Amino acid sequence: MDYFPLFLNLKQQACLIVGGGEIAVRKLRLLRSAGADVTVVSPELCDEMHDLVRSGEVRWQPAQFSITQITGQRLVIAATDQASVNQAVFSACEAAGILVNAVDDPSHSRFITPAIIDRAPLTIAISTGGGVPVLARHLRAQLEALIPHGWGNLAQLGSELRQYCKEKMPDPAQRREFWEAVLAGPIPDQVFSGQIEHARAQLIAAIDHPETTPSGAVYLVGSGPGNPDLLTFRALRLMQQADVVLYDNLVSAEIMEMVRRDAERIYVGKKSNNHALPQEEINQLLVRLALEGKKVLRLKGGDPFIFGRGGEEIEELAQHGIAFEVVPGITSAAGASCYAGIPLTHRDYAQSVTFVTGHRKDGEVDLDWPRLVNPSETVVVYMGVAQAGYIAEQLMSHGRDQHTLVAIIERATTAQQRVVTTTLIELAERIEQEGIKPPALLIIGDVVQLHDKLKWC
């Protein structure tokens, strides 16, 4: 290794920054976040550093650097644009055995500052040895997106219960296996979702009874309209952690490719009038798998609470005392309209929007037709392709103009997306002519005329 990675406790430790410009400000904020007692030496200060001096965050010595200023310092940073000054600071600190860094000058540094991901008390540092700091920042940005802020809370919780765990489990090997099981179970997700006290109680119970079979949990996750890039970070993390995944017909193959490779996959697909499993059996299966101690991912197209029967599934879980979490997804109406360049509301065309489903119940589409005929309202119909002719007929018979524009959006947000525009009177015929198949939805209203102008993909 070019550098030995080390974390320093600088709380209330004397540290010196030589320089008063913008770079010095950045280093000051870093040291202050670690609790250091900082003094700045510089004949002049930038405006931001002046503000920090006035607020009491730093002491200022308005002078040129001299060797006497390093006396009693734990750490020194040279942040000037003068190579001779930086070299003098380095030489003085080397002679005194004080840790020193010259910003952007590894040859005059005994240590370098890494790119930092702060999830205190969890801290992750990335370094390229001072050679390519932009690369370290690039990697940090990627990890920032992948590591939930809740990991810091989890680390804090584990620290608080560490001694209690040692007393209950004196054997280090047993403790290691215990913590590995905890991190693979539902407790971290409870912390990430803000249920810290509940997680604390669960963790204490697990410490008191380490041989108990771990309890499972169910995660009801919206996978969005089909494009993997539209998944939430939370959805992606859970997809890569699940023991078993229940997925339906609207979850794209590209999204399923992102599921943990060794997870069990159960297709419970739903197509019009063709369900692989009835809803009641899906509910019971979720309960059974969770009671077996598994981490169960219920992956749904779009958003689980918009025509996804998510409420029915978590009602069953709640009745059996199963821990669950709901992760929202981009609903198909939002994804389809954005990718088609059709705003669902617009001051000139529509002041409201209504989502309805064209899925038949007992053979009929049962909607409140009179309230769907307002010309200033956009109507979005989910699962409406098969019943498009009947829907158009009912809207027209209740007063919606037969020339009202309709957009049919097939496989929205994916590379196979297709947008066909027509009118209510021609809707059924156009669907048949174009050979449109589900998944597709309908957008009905004057906003559809913006498609040609605003489409971007």
Side-chain angles (χ1 to χ4, degrees):
M1 293 185 294
D2 292 330
Y3 288 87
F4 180 72
L6 186 69
F7 289 89
L8 291 175
N9 182 351
L10 291 178
K11 288 183 173 59
Q12 299 179 344
Q13 298 297 297
C15 296
L16 181 71
I17 295 177
V18 180
E22 293 180 0
I23 294 176
V25 170
R26 292 202 297 269
K27 299 303 179 183
L28 168 64
R29 293 198 182 282
L30 195 60
L31 292 176
R32 289 293 296 151
S33 69
D37 182 10
V38 184
T39 299
V40 168
V41 171
S42 179
E44 298 178 346
L45 301 178
C46 67
D47 292 342
E48 189 173 357
M49 187 69 85
H50 264 300
D51 293 339
L52 294 170
V53 170
R54 282 193 291 268
S55 67
E57 289 194 43
V58 61
R59 286 188 299 275
W60 176 35
Q61 292 184 17
Q64 299 285 350
F65 171 73
S66 68
I67 192 170
T68 59
Q69 293 160 350
I70 67 171
T71 302
Q73 301 295 329
R74 179 73 71 180
L75 179 149
V76 176
I77 294 177
T80 77
D81 56 4
Q82 301 175 51
S84 59
V85 174
N86 291 347
Q87 183 173 359
V89 173
F90 174 76
S91 299
C93 291
E94 282 284 276
I98 297 172
L99 287 173
V100 59
N101 168 265
V103 178
D104 290 334
D105 187 359
S107 64
H108 291 110
S109 298
R110 184 54 57 188
F111 74 93
I112 56 177
T113 54
I116 295 171
I117 300 167
D118 184 4
R119 301 288 188 268
L122 174 67
T123 306
I124 302 169
I126 306 169
S127 171
T128 59
V132 194
V134 173
L135 174 59
R137 290 197 295 270
H138 177 74
L139 293 173
R140 180 191 67 185
Q142 294 188 50
L143 290 174
E144 286 276 10
L146 294 174
I147 301 171
H149 283 268
W151 276 109
N153 293 329
L154 182 62
Q156 181 63 42
L157 180 59
S159 297
E160 293 171 4
L161 295 175
R162 182 182 180 188
Q163 185 58 39
Y164 182 67
C165 185
K166 289 179 69 174
E167 293 171 0
K168 290 286 185 177
M169 290 177 258
D171 180 16
Q174 183 188 14
R175 286 200 306 275
R176 183 177 63 253
E177 291 179 3
F178 170 78
W179 284 112
E180 287 176 351
V182 166
L183 292 175
I187 288 177
D189 291 306
Q190 293 170 6
V191 174
F192 300 158
S193 62
Q195 304 175 64
I196 296 176
E197 291 309 312
H198 180 65
R200 184 192 304 276
Q202 292 287 313
L203 186 52
I204 291 172
I207 293 171
D208 289 338
H209 306 284
E211 301 303 325
T212 302
T213 301
S215 59
V218 176
Y219 301 90
L220 196 64
V221 174
S223 67
N227 187 331
D229 287 344
L230 300 180
L231 285 167
T232 63
F233 291 136
R234 181 75 176 136
L236 183 59
R237 282 192 289 267
L238 291 171
M239 289 166 63
Q240 295 173 346
Q241 296 169 10
D243 299 312
V244 57
V245 180
L246 278 66
Y247 66 101
D248 60 38
N249 184 57
L250 295 177
V251 179
S252 69
E254 293 82 4
I255 287 176
M256 287 303 298
E257 281 296 312
M258 304 177 80
V259 169
R260 174 179 152 186
R261 294 293 181 190
D262 58 345
E264 180 184 0
R265 303 179 185 204
I266 302 175
Y267 176 66
V268 293
K270 296 179 179 181
K271 298 180 182 179
S272 181
N273 298 320
N274 181 18
H275 292 189
L277 281 181
Q279 185 62 53
E280 295 73 15
E281 291 186 27
I282 295 174
N283 298 348
Q284 294 165 11
L285 181 58
L286 291 172
V287 170
R288 177 173 64 79
L289 292 169
L291 290 176
E292 292 174 359
K294 294 179 178 177
K295 196 169 192 175
V296 184
L297 183 74
R298 176 66 173 105
L299 196 58
K300 291 176 170 287
D303 181 273
F305 275 8
I306 298 182
F307 305 126
R309 294 194 174 181
E312 297 175 38
E313 293 177 357
I314 64 172
E315 276 186 305
E316 187 83 14
L317 298 172
Q319 288 176 8
H320 288 81
I322 304 294
F324 64 85
E325 178 184 338
V326 182
V327 180
I330 295 176
T331 188
S332 298
S337 64
C338 288
Y339 272 63
I342 303 173
L344 295 178
T345 60
H346 189 287
R347 284 190 298 174
D348 296 332
Y349 302 103
Q351 286 71 55
S352 62
V353 58
T354 297
F355 297 168
V356 299
T357 176
H359 186 66
R360 293 188 298 175
K361 182 178 180 181
D362 299 326
E364 298 239 351
V365 180
D366 184 20
L367 297 175
D368 185 3
W369 302 109
R371 70 170 298 271
L372 301 178
V373 298
N374 187 337
S376 65
E377 179 173 43
T378 303
V379 177
V380 180
V381 186
Y382 288 68
M383 298 172 281
V385 170
Q387 295 296 310
Y390 176 75
I391 291 168
E393 178 185 315
Q394 289 298 313
L395 289 173
M396 290 185 293
S397 68
H398 284 82
R400 195 101 192 205
D401 191 301
Q402 64 180 1
H403 299 298
T404 300
L405 291 174
V406 183
I408 312 139
I409 307 174
E410 183 183 46
R411 302 187 66 83
T413 76
T414 70
Q416 296 77 39
Q417 173 177 295
R418 183 165 55 137
V419 181
V420 175
T421 60
T422 184
T423 61
L424 275 180
I425 189 72
E426 298 174 341
L427 178 58
E429 181 181 355
R430 193 68 186 279
I431 287 175
E432 184 176 356
Q433 289 174 349
E434 298 289 342
I436 292 171
K437 304 295 183 185
L441 58 72
L442 313 177
I443 299 178
I444 303 169
D446 291 343
V447 291
V448 172
Q449 64 186 281
L450 294 169
H451 165 66
D452 288 335
K453 179 181 179 181
L454 303 180
K455 62 183 179 184
W456 55 272
C457 67

